[in-house]
Amino acid sequence: MICNKFLNASFLGAYGENNELFERLLNEFVRDHVYWRRNFHPLDRPPISSSAANEPEYLESVARMKDELHRLTARLKSSVPTYNPRYIGHMFSDLLLPGLLAQLITTLYNPNNISEDTAPATVDMELAAGDQLATMFGFATTKGQTPCAFGHITSGGTVANYEGLWLMQAVRYLPLAIQQASIETGIEVLAPWGEPLAKADSFQVVNLPADDILTMNDQVSHLAEPDKSRLIEAIQLNRYEHLGARQFFDKHTEIANGILIVPKNAHYSWAKAMRFMGLGEDNLWQVSCDTSMKLDINELELMLNAAQHQNRPVIGVIAVLGTTEFGTVDPVDGIVALREERRKIGQSFAIHVDAAWGGYLTSMFRAKDGSLLSHDEVKQECDHFPCDQMYGAFAALSKVDSITVDPHKLGFIPFGTGAFVVRDNRVSRLVMQKAAYIFGGEPDADDFRQLGQFIVEGSKPGAAAAAAFVTHNVLPLNADNFGRLCKLTVRNTELFYDKLMILRDKLASSVELRIPIVPESNLICIAFNPVNNHDIKVMNRFNQAFYEYIRPDLDTAMQANEFFGSSTILHTKKLTKSAFETLCGDIGVEPKQLQHSTTKGFEGQADGIFLIRHTLMNPWLSDEKNGDTYLDMYCAFIERTIAKMLKERSTDTW
Ligand SMILES: *Cc1c(COP(=O)(O)O)cnc(C)c1O
C-alpha cells in the first residue's frame, strides 16, 4: 500500500478540503501583485479616482460584470467532476495546487513567452522547465556542450507532435540542400566518409544519420570567407523549407516522397500533422500492433525494407510511450536497436517518442541524482509494474531524438500546457526564422530566449510555463517526489485489476468480464460478454448500454451519475493477423464473427470491440479511511448495473 498522505496539501480536494489553504494563498498573492503595481511610480496620481466607485456608470458596469460572471459560473456547474475519485474516465483529474496557483497568479502579470522582452521572468522558467523534462528523459543539458537538449512548453501534445515532425523533416532534407549548394557553387563539402559530397549518391545523402548531418552543417560555418557566406546562401535557397515540396523534389527526381512511420496505436494527431504540413496522409505508413497493442517490430522492419526499395527517405519513426487508449508502451529500445542495424545498410531516420500521456511516468525511473534506477528499484511497492519490456523502453529514452510530453495530462497541470523536448538543440536552430543564425558559429546559450523564432507557436502564456516550473520544483521529477504520485496511479491500477479478477468470478454465471489488453500503467479497458453469447455485435451493444451508465449525460445533473468512465474501440485493423486471432480466442468469439477489416469503420460493429476505458489518475482511489475504497464501490456499482441490465432484457435481445 502506497501512502498518499504526502499529497494531502497538494490538491484542492474532492470536497474542497483545502479551501482555506487555497484561498489564503491566492489572496496573499493577489495582494502581493497589487502592491507590485502600486510600487511602480507610487507618486503618480491613480488614473481611476476613489470617488469613481460612486458614479452610476461605474455601478452599472459592476452589475453587468457580476451578472455575467454569475451566469458563467452557473453554466460551469454542468462541468464534468474530474477532480472526484468517482471520475475515472478521460486523462484528467484534480489539479496539483502548486501548478494551479502558479498559473492563476502568473496570469495577473500576463507575460508573453514569445520572447524575453515580453516575459523577462517566465521565459527563463520555460527553458528551465524544458531542462527539467530533458533531464528526466536522460538528455544532457550542459550549455555549450554537444549535444545539449532544448525543451519548451507548447499548447499541448498535438502541437508538440507537429513540431517534432517539422524538425525531423528539416534534418532529413538538409543534406540534399548542402549537396546541391556545393554542386552549384563549386565549394567543396566533404561527406562523413571523406569524399566530396557533390559526387555522392543522393539517396545515400538523404539517409545520413542526424549526427552526421549536423556535424556536416557545422563544418560549413568553419569555412573561410567569402566561401562561407556564398555556400550558406546557396544552402538556404536549396532547402525544402525555402522551395516547398514541388520545387525541392524537382531538383531531386531520383528521391521519392518521404514517409513517416507510426504504429497503428498512435494518436490521431499524427494523421492531422501529415495533412497540416502538406506531406499527405498517404505518406503516413502505419505499423500493425501485436497482442499487447504495441508496435510490432518485425512489421516495422518490413516497412523499412519497403521504403528502402522504393527510394523513399524515412523522415521519422514514432514510438508511443503510453498509448491514449491502453497506456501501453512501444518498444523504444527495440526501435533504437533496429536503427543501429539499418544504419549499416545505409538507412537512417529520426526517432520521436510521443509520450504525451506516459512521459511523466519516467519520473519513477530516475534517482534524485538523475541516474536511472534499476528494474528492481522501480518495481518496489508494485506487483507487476514495470514489465521487462516497459523497463527497456524507458531506459532507452535518452537515445531518441525528440519527445512530446503533456504536463496537462499526467503532470496534473491546467490545460494549455504541453511540452516538446529535442535531444540536440542544433536541430531547433535549423528551423530558426532568422536565417543568419542558422550557421552562426558557436551557439549562444541565450539564443533560445527569443523563443518564438524556434518553435511552432508565437505569442504564448508565460503562466503555463510558470505552472510547469513551479510544480517540478515542488515535486521534482524523480522517484522520491513526482514519481511517488505516478507510482500511486500505477499501484491503484494493479489493485483495480485484482478487484476486477474477484468481480469476474462473482459475475461468472451471468457475464464474462474480459480485459483484452493487459494493463501496463494506469489505464484499464474492460468488456463484458453475456454468457453463451458468441455474437460480437451483441457483445458490443451490451457494452455500449453499460457505458450509458457511466458517461456524462449532458441533459441531466452530474450528480445523477455514480461514476464516470470513458470508452474506446479496439479496431481489429490495428492488429497483425496473428494478434487478431489470439484476441478472438481471448475474448471467446469466432474469428469469422469479428472481422479483421482493414478498411471499414466501426459502423458495421463487427470489426472492433467496444471497450469501457478507465484512466486511474486520482490519488484517492484506494483510500481506506472511510470504509470501502472508491475502487470497491465502483466494482459493486458494476455488479449492480449488470444485474439490472440483465433483468431488464434477456441476452438475445441486445
Ligand atoms: C493526448 C495525446 C496527444 C495529443 O495531445 P493534446 O494535448 O490533446 O494535444 C498526442 N499523443 C498522445 C499519445 C496522447 O495521449
Side-chain angles (χ1 to χ4, degrees):
M1 188 62 213
I2 300 174
C3 184
N4 58 10
K5 233 162 101 180
F6 74 105
L7 292 169
N8 279 343
S10 301
F11 293 91
L12 182 52
Y15 201 75
E17 300 92 311
N18 281 318
N19 65 323
E20 277 174 15
L21 172 68
F22 180 67
E23 278 174 39
R24 180 155 48 82
L25 292 175
L26 191 59
N27 213 354
E28 179 176 337
F29 289 105
V30 170
R31 285 185 184 158
D32 179 59
H33 171 79
V34 171
Y35 298 142
W36 174 72
R37 290 190 173 208
R38 286 184 188 167
N39 284 321
F40 181 73
H41 297 285
L43 292 177
D44 285 0
R45 192 183 290 271
I48 304 169
S49 75
S50 305
S51 62
N54 302 322
E55 288 162 13
E57 259 184 305
Y58 184 99
L59 297 171
E60 173 66 14
S61 301
V62 172
R64 282 197 359 221
M65 180 156 61
K66 272 176 77 175
D67 284 353
E68 286 305 324
L69 286 173
H70 278 300
R71 217 160 284 162
L72 167 74
T73 56
R75 291 176 71 177
L76 288 173
K77 299 295 182 297
S78 62
S79 299
V80 184
T82 54
Y83 56 86
N84 194 287
R86 287 176 181 269
Y87 186 90
I88 43 176
H90 290 286
M91 297 174 151
F92 48 1
S93 170
D94 206 357
L95 295 166
L96 277 169
L97 276 185
L100 174 61
L101 283 164
Q103 204 208 32
L104 294 172
I105 293 160
T106 309
T107 301
L108 295 171
Y109 298 80
N110 197 27
N112 178 355
N113 272 23
I114 190 168
S115 87
E116 61 177 342
D117 304 337
T118 51
T122 48
V123 159
D124 280 343
M125 292 179 206
E126 175 153 357
L127 296 177
D131 277 359
Q132 289 166 329
L133 291 168
T135 304
M136 171 173 76
F137 295 131
F139 294 161
T141 56
T142 312
K143 307 289 171 262
Q145 285 185 13
T146 301
C148 173
F150 163 51
H152 68 88
I153 301 297
T154 62
S155 69
T158 301
V159 169
N161 284 345
Y162 290 179
E163 188 158 328
L165 182 53
W166 185 37
L167 297 186
M168 287 188 268
Q169 175 176 259
V171 174
R172 187 56 40 225
Y173 292 143
L174 176 67
L176 289 177
I178 302 179
Q179 183 184 41
Q180 188 70 20
S182 174
I183 293 169
E184 287 173 10
T185 58
I187 299 168
E188 188 172 271
V189 180
L190 292 181
W193 51 89
E195 285 162 21
L197 187 67
K199 296 211 174 77
D201 170 67
S202 52
F203 195 63
Q204 202 176 352
V205 171
V206 81
N207 266 298
L208 282 170
D211 289 348
D212 288 347
I213 296 172
L214 295 166
T215 307
M216 207 161 70
N217 192 41
D218 285 346
Q219 277 166 14
V220 175
S221 62
H222 294 137
L223 287 173
E225 292 291 6
D227 281 3
K228 175 176 155 180
S229 296
R230 268 183 65 216
L231 189 60
I232 287 176
E233 198 190 338
I235 292 172
Q236 288 315 309
L237 296 178
N238 275 295
R239 282 186 62 186
Y240 182 94
E241 289 75 11
H242 180 76
L243 294 173
R246 175 67 191 263
Q247 290 179 57
F248 183 81
F249 284 111
D250 276 352
K251 292 196 179 201
H252 306 281
T253 47
E254 63 292 354
I255 309 249
N257 269 354
I259 55 160
L260 180 72
I261 302 184
V262 297
K264 286 188 178 167
N265 62 23
H267 191 262
Y268 70 95
S269 53
W270 289 106
K272 217 163 143 185
M274 293 300 279
R275 289 170 172 265
F276 175 71
M277 289 197 26
L279 293 176
E281 211 177 320
D282 200 34
N283 296 311
L284 183 71
W285 287 14
Q286 298 181 299
V287 188
S288 297
C289 296
D290 62 16
T291 43
S292 50
M293 210 55 194
K294 300 172 179 198
L295 173 143
D296 187 300
I297 204 97
N298 297 321
E299 295 268 322
L300 172 62
E301 192 165 7
L302 293 177
M303 222 167 242
L304 290 169
N305 278 333
Q308 188 85 339
H309 287 134
Q310 297 174 27
N311 274 357
R312 283 167 169 262
V314 180
I315 295 169
V317 173
I318 310 302
V320 186
L321 195 90
T323 53
T324 318
E325 289 162 310
F326 303 101
T328 50
V329 168
D330 284 332
V332 179
D333 45 342
I335 300 171
V336 168
L338 184 58
R339 175 164 69 175
E340 287 306 310
E341 286 301 308
R342 303 300 297 188
R343 275 183 183 167
K344 292 182 197 146
I345 56 162
Q347 186 181 43
S348 196
F349 47 84
I351 301 174
H352 175 89
V353 174
D354 184 353
W357 171 249
Y360 275 87
L361 296 175
T362 318
S363 60
M364 285 185 280
F365 295 74
R366 288 277 159 218
K368 267 190 183 141
D369 65 2
S371 60
L372 187 75
L373 293 173
S374 71
H375 194 163
D376 280 342
E377 285 168 318
V378 182
K379 203 167 180 162
Q380 270 172 29
E381 301 169 297
C382 287
D383 288 342
H384 308 287
F385 179 89
C387 62
D388 290 348
Q389 285 175 331
M390 197 163 202
Y391 184 81
F394 278 85
L397 282 178
S398 61
K399 304 203 175 69
V400 308
D401 298 287
S402 50
I403 300 178
T404 290
V405 50
D406 262 353
H408 67 203
K409 284 184 176 165
L410 205 45
F412 296 82
I413 287 172
F415 280 113
T417 318
F420 174 79
V421 187
V422 62
R423 184 174 50 87
D424 188 334
N425 66 24
R426 287 179 298 174
V427 174
S428 284
R429 288 173 201 282
L430 278 183
V431 296
M432 193 190 180
Q433 203 59 33
K434 216 154 71 188
Y437 270 43
I438 295 174
F439 303 94
E442 282 308 302
D444 175 351
D446 279 344
D447 274 1
F448 288 108
R449 300 174 79 191
Q450 299 300 336
L451 211 44
Q453 304 222 16
F454 300 92
I455 67 175
V456 173
E457 290 155 287
S459 291
K460 58 203 292 292
F469 179 65
V470 169
T471 302
H472 297 167
N473 286 340
V474 176
L475 285 172
L477 302 175
N478 58 48
D480 293 331
N481 295 282
F482 205 97
R484 278 169 83 199
L485 171 55
C486 291
K487 189 64 102 32
L488 194 58
T489 69
V490 168
R491 183 63 193 139
N492 281 342
T493 310
E494 292 187 341
L495 291 171
F496 186 36
Y497 186 88
D498 293 344
K499 291 180 196 299
L500 285 173
M501 289 299 108
I502 296 169
L503 180 65
R504 184 182 63 177
D505 296 342
K506 274 196 191 169
L507 293 174
S509 62
S510 54
V511 298
E512 297 164 36
L513 191 164
R514 299 286 186 184
I515 303 182
I517 306 295
V518 179
E520 290 187 349
S521 59
N522 40 22
L523 267 80
I524 291 193
C525 290
I526 64 175
F528 306 103
N529 194 14
V531 283
N532 299 326
N533 171 54
H534 299 288
D535 185 342
I536 188 69
K537 291 184 187 173
V538 169
M539 178 174 161
N540 282 339
R541 285 199 291 269
F542 189 81
N543 287 301
Q544 279 170 311
F546 177 83
Y547 176 57
E548 289 301 316
Y549 290 92
I550 54 165
R551 72 183 289 177
D553 180 351
L554 304 182
D555 297 325
T556 49
M558 292 296 159
Q559 283 83 347
N561 270 47
E562 285 188 58
F563 286 91
F564 288 92
S566 57
S567 70
T568 189
I569 294 158
L570 201 177
H571 286 285
T572 55
K573 65 182 174 195
K574 293 186 177 175
L575 298 169
T576 61
K577 188 127 204 318
S578 73
F580 164 74
E581 280 159 11
T582 310
L583 176 76
C584 291
D586 283 355
I587 59 164
V589 297
E590 300 285 323
K592 62 176 186 310
Q593 276 270 348
L594 185 64
Q595 293 154 18
H596 190 217
S597 158
T598 49
T599 49
K600 273 213 217 107
F602 190 57
E603 295 79 23
Q605 299 218 344
D607 52 4
I609 305 169
F610 186 92
L611 297 172
I612 309 298
R613 169 174 170 268
H614 309 97
T615 308
L616 283 83
M617 274 179 79
N618 193 290
W620 279 273
L621 290 172
S622 59
D623 215 69
E624 280 172 341
K625 54 179 170 286
N626 305 315
D628 267 355
T629 68
Y630 281 96
L631 293 175
D632 292 314
M633 282 154 60
Y634 181 58
C635 288
F637 166 81
I638 294 178
E639 206 181 332
R640 260 184 287 126
T641 308
I642 297 277
K644 190 165 124 193
M645 287 168 64
L646 291 173
K647 206 169 140 206
E648 281 168 8
R649 284 171 73 171
S650 61
T651 300
D652 50 352
T653 66
W654 286 99

